[in-house]
Amino acid sequence: MPSAHAIFFIFTFILATFSNFAFAQHETAYTQHRHDLQSTQVEYAIELGWESKFVSEGRDNLKSGGVYWSGFAAQCQNLNGYARVGRGDREHFVRWELGLEYTNSITDTLEATIGYQRLEFYGDERTNDNELFSTLTYNGFGWVTPSINYTYATEAGGYFIELALYGAWQASHTWRLSPYALIGLDYQLATEQHNGLNHIQFGLESEYALSHHLNLTGHISHSIALDDIEKEVGYSSHELNETFAGIYLNWTF
């Protein structure tokens, strides 16, 4: 169990690294669209989607069914604010996400994002949480994009790290495919009793431009449980692995 001082040091180090940022992305932040960060015009986005399962940190958070998602985002230069709500398609489950994030290019190939997200849950129990997150992305390779994602949750009192690799293949001028792989490490965010390797996840993301402002995106993903999940449930089994998919319609204006 990491001490409070260790957690504070890690998060302070991230803030110090990005100290030239205004405090304002994993899973996971909500930016399905890409904008020109130098534009002073406010741009908006509306998202509608569905996920076959509600999987986060390698775990299916619902007993059955998936989640319908809808959201709204507004971006001005490097600052992005968003509101997103998910509703279970079989279970009584509602999740609100309200967040603000700031993205800055440190160099021509290195980009950093830092942000805050408020979570509200409605279902069998009424709960909430606050998340502070940051992402560091390197765009210098061209064929693959590595990134590090860090999330600290105040209610859980722990943090979660994802190390990811994303590829990109332009199948046509309107269709892009992005295979990806990531590994997750849990430190008291998903479970309090165990720390370390949590899961491996890989999949394929697809984005198709229906028009200049309308995009259809989707993914199919597979998550493999590692030590943290296996210790949490007390056994090792392929039944702990998750396969899931999602589809979204994004309109920017």
Side-chain angles (χ1 to χ4, degrees):
M1 174 178 173
S3 67
H5 291 292
I7 294 173
F8 177 79
F9 172 79
I10 291 172
F11 190 65
T12 303
F13 174 78
I14 291 175
L15 290 180
T17 304
F18 308 140
S19 60
N20 62 319
F21 297 169
F23 192 89
Q25 77 183 78
H26 317 170
E27 43 190 282
T28 37
Y30 169 61
T31 48
Q32 295 290 339
H33 58 285
R34 296 280 185 176
H35 297 304
D36 180 3
L37 296 180
Q38 302 304 317
S39 174
T40 57
Q41 180 182 357
V42 179
E43 299 186 21
Y44 303 95
I46 294 175
E47 174 192 71
L48 298 173
W50 174 78
E51 292 278 348
S52 62
K53 295 180 180 180
F54 180 34
V55 177
S56 63
E57 291 86 39
R59 298 161 172 82
D60 188 356
N61 296 281
L62 300 178
K63 295 179 181 179
S64 64
V67 178
Y68 291 108
W69 288 98
S70 61
F72 174 80
Q75 178 171 321
C76 181
Q77 294 186 322
N78 298 26
L79 189 63
N80 182 62
Y82 60 89
R84 195 176 187 227
V85 60
R87 295 180 179 273
D89 59 11
R90 293 185 186 178
E91 292 189 27
H92 173 50
F93 169 81
V94 178
R95 170 181 166 127
W96 275 95
E97 300 175 357
L98 303 172
L100 192 65
E101 61 185 16
Y102 183 84
T103 301
N104 191 52
S105 296
I106 300 175
T107 68
D108 291 340
T109 57
L110 195 61
E111 184 178 88
T113 297
I114 190 167
Y116 164 80
Q117 180 172 257
R118 173 70 176 182
L119 304 177
E120 296 284 346
F121 302 93
Y122 303 85
D124 295 336
E125 296 181 359
R126 171 76 169 87
T127 60
N128 56 66
D129 206 344
N130 302 286
E131 290 185 349
L132 305 172
F133 60 86
S134 63
T135 302
L136 195 62
T137 304
Y138 181 73
N139 302 303
F141 294 129
W143 57 278
V144 66
T145 301
S147 66
I148 302 174
N149 306 300
Y150 171 95
T151 301
Y152 175 79
T154 60
E155 291 298 316
Y159 59 95
F160 199 90
I161 297 172
E162 286 184 345
L163 308 175
L165 292 173
Y166 278 83
W169 178 53
Q170 200 71 34
S172 70
H173 70 284
T174 57
W175 186 24
R176 182 175 65 183
L177 296 173
S178 301
Y180 77 91
L182 63 84
I183 184 168
L185 300 96
D186 177 45
Y187 296 92
Q188 290 191 282
L189 190 148
T191 177
E192 294 185 2
Q193 290 78 17
H194 313 288
N195 296 320
L197 293 173
N198 184 77
H199 74 295
I200 294 174
Q201 186 172 307
F202 56 89
L204 180 66
E205 297 181 349
S206 174
E207 181 178 356
Y208 186 81
L210 299 172
S211 69
H212 184 64
H213 295 284
L214 195 63
N215 289 337
L216 183 65
T217 65
H219 76 92
I220 182 168
S221 302
H222 183 69
S223 177
I224 300 174
L226 296 180
D227 191 57
D228 194 67
I229 296 177
E230 293 173 349
K231 286 183 177 179
E232 181 183 13
V233 299
Y235 62 91
S236 175
S237 171
H238 69 276
E239 295 179 356
L240 298 175
N241 303 336
E242 301 290 347
T243 300
F244 55 104
I247 187 169
Y248 294 85
L249 187 64
N250 305 283
W251 177 39
T252 59
F253 56 97

